[in-house]
Amino acid sequence: NLHLFFKGKKDIIDCYDTAIVSCNDRIIPEKNQINFWEGRAKIIRCQNAPHFIFYNWESWEDLLKYASGN
């Protein structure tokens, strides 16, 4: 579901099917993230990760494996 042109916020939100939520986010609390994504996307809770979670993986492929459960 790739949108080349976004008509509004709903279109932007609808283009995501998975959300990785940081459990140690000191900027956006985990509870708020889960409340937002619940019913909109599969939620994956990332333990021991700060707001910027991408240092938890060595590559994009590793992140995708984590998100897919492999």
Side-chain angles (χ1 to χ4, degrees), residues 1-2 6 8 11 15-16 23 26 33 43 45 49 51 53-54 59 61-63 66 68-70:
N1 188 10
L2 178 62
F6 296 112
D11 290 331
C15 75
Y16 297 101
C23 293
R26 292 168 58 180
Q33 294 180 64
I43 298 171
R45 297 173 76 192
H51 179 73
I53 63 172
F54 299 103
S59 67
E61 289 78 21
D62 289 344
L63 171 68
Y66 177 85
S68 68
N70 294 325

Side-chain angles (χ1 to χ4, degrees), residues 13-60:
I13 293 167
D14 286 347
C15 75
Y16 297 101
D17 60 9
T18 304
I20 300 176
V21 173
S22 168
C23 293
N24 293 323
D25 195 321
R26 292 168 58 180
I27 297 172
I28 304 172
E30 174 188 14
K31 177 183 169 189
N32 293 12
Q33 294 180 64
I34 290 172
N35 286 342
F36 177 81
W37 288 112
E38 206 161 47
R40 293 181 169 140
K42 172 184 166 188
I43 298 171
I44 299 173
R45 297 173 76 192
C46 185
Q47 302 296 323
N48 302 319
H51 179 73
F52 187 80
I53 63 172
F54 299 103
Y55 289 131
N56 285 21
W57 298 278
E58 301 251 340
S59 67
W60 184 249

